[in-house]
Amino acid sequence: MSGAGSHIISDAIAWLNDPLNWTGPHGIGALTVEHLGMSAGAVLLGAGFALPLGLWLGHRRRGGQVTVLLSNVSRAMPTLALLTLFASSAIGFGNRAVVIAAAIFAVPPILTNTFTGMLEVDADVLDAARGMGLGPWRMLWRVEVPLALPVIAAGVRTAAVQVVATVPLAALVAGGGLGVIINTGLATQRYGQVLAGGVLVAVLSMSVEGILAGAQRLVTPRFMTAGRTARQPVAALPAT
Amino acid sequence: MSAGQPPNPWLSWTYVEHNWGDITTALSRHTTLTIQAVLLAMALAFPLALLARARPRLAGPVLGLSGALYTVPSLALFAILAPFTGIGRTTVLIGLVAYALLVLVRNILVGLQGVDPDVLDAARGLGYGPTRMLLAVELPNALPTIVAGVRLATVSTVALVTVGVVVGYGGLGQLMFRGFRSGYRAEVMTSSLLCLALALVFDLALVLLGRALMPWARRRVAA
């Protein structure tokens, strides 16, 4: 098939240039919106669980083993396993199941980074705040969270990129999003379309990564960027 | 579940007995594919990391490129490769090697850069040449970081193999997908558990290998 490489590339370009592939209920536009909607839902769901838990564990300064265990298990757990397990259970398949599965994979990076960010807050700063008479709540919101914010943001960014990269697998279990283009192409052996779909998914992931990297920079105070290399996302891995 | 439907248990020994051949084939494909991908990635990662270290100007692009490729979803990578490398094992292997390579290059480079300069100075003072320095001083010192990278790469590779299902070569993922298609719970559950177990076994084996390679680390803990 490798000899047909150039003809597949021209097929892919032709497919991308066909306006009919961009519009309509199954066009690139609608699928991208669906993809981003599912991703946003998954990140919100995951963050809704992981942020409070991470803040609580970090504030109490314990529970490190739990976060490490969670991120290790999630590394070993294939998304496809979770999706097919869901499909065979009461959760079922389709977009809702995919959002739940992606949300589960969004938890470890957010949890780990929130916890680590809170732990990294200088003990002297906490001591000074306590000396100034700050109670636990004001300590959390006025001191710990602002100082941990860049690391927390890095965790949310990792999770979001991972989710955007996970959602394409939805197409395998009758869900939507841009993965549909790849899956339909493979099923009908239109490899130009497969290639075009792969490029679209990759471009979307990279754009989300780029936009979130900018957002993360915005929430990071300038004085904290010096030690930036130490603050890279803890649990970056490819979507499985 | 209504009374008329046959039972559909999550775990069933009958399933395992009746599908023993399929299960062992999928498991052995999954295992060999993982080992092959990690070994190939290591063979490529060492020279790349050494090159990036020897030419610091290359280190930035090498790490940046690895970061960029990391954001490409596995399904997309397989889809981009499939038209050129065909449906089947080769496509999956190339994708797996690419992802493992990223983790390994990064960790080897970070490990080598993290070696205490005083130690290097002492070795230089003892008359160590570049090759001996690398093999006898730098690599052993970087070993904990390298082993951590190999563990991470291996465990993620085990999980990634399942995505190979899109090109018809997903190891245990093939069984997960078949179980999903036919609504056979025992098949989905068995293959998922085997996949997790495989990752765990690989990880434990690498921990033990790391201990065997780094007896000094154990002694330090004992002391």
Side-chain angles (χ1 to χ4, degrees), chain A residues 100-126:
Chain A
I100 297 173
I104 290 175
F105 285 100
V107 167
I110 300 179
L111 183 63
T112 310
N113 273 39
T114 308
F115 181 74
T116 318
M118 296 279 287
L119 274 196
E120 275 178 5
V121 176
D122 196 333
D124 290 346
V125 173
L126 295 182

Side-chain angles (χ1 to χ4, degrees), chain A residues 1-2 5 8-9 75-76 78 80-81 84-85 87-89 165 168 172-173 182 186 191 194 198 201 205-206 236-240, chain B residues 10 68 70-71 73-76 79-80 83-84 87 99 152 155 159-160 162-163 165-166 173 176-177 180 185 188 192 195-196 199:
Chain A
M1 206 185 298
S2 47
I8 287 162
I9 293 175
R75 205 164 277 158
L80 189 69
T84 50
L85 282 172
S88 319
S89 74
L172 292 177
V173 293
I182 297 173
L186 282 168
Y191 291 103
V194 172
V201 171
S205 296
M206 289 174 144
L237 36 110
T240 52
Chain B
W10 287 103
Y70 232 48
T71 61
S74 47
L75 186 70
I80 292 171
F84 305 102
I87 293 291
Y99 283 119
L152 184 59
V155 171
L160 267 171
T162 61
V163 183
V165 95
V166 293
M176 286 172 202
F177 198 61
F180 156 70
R185 287 181 176 167
V188 176
S192 299
C195 205
L196 276 180

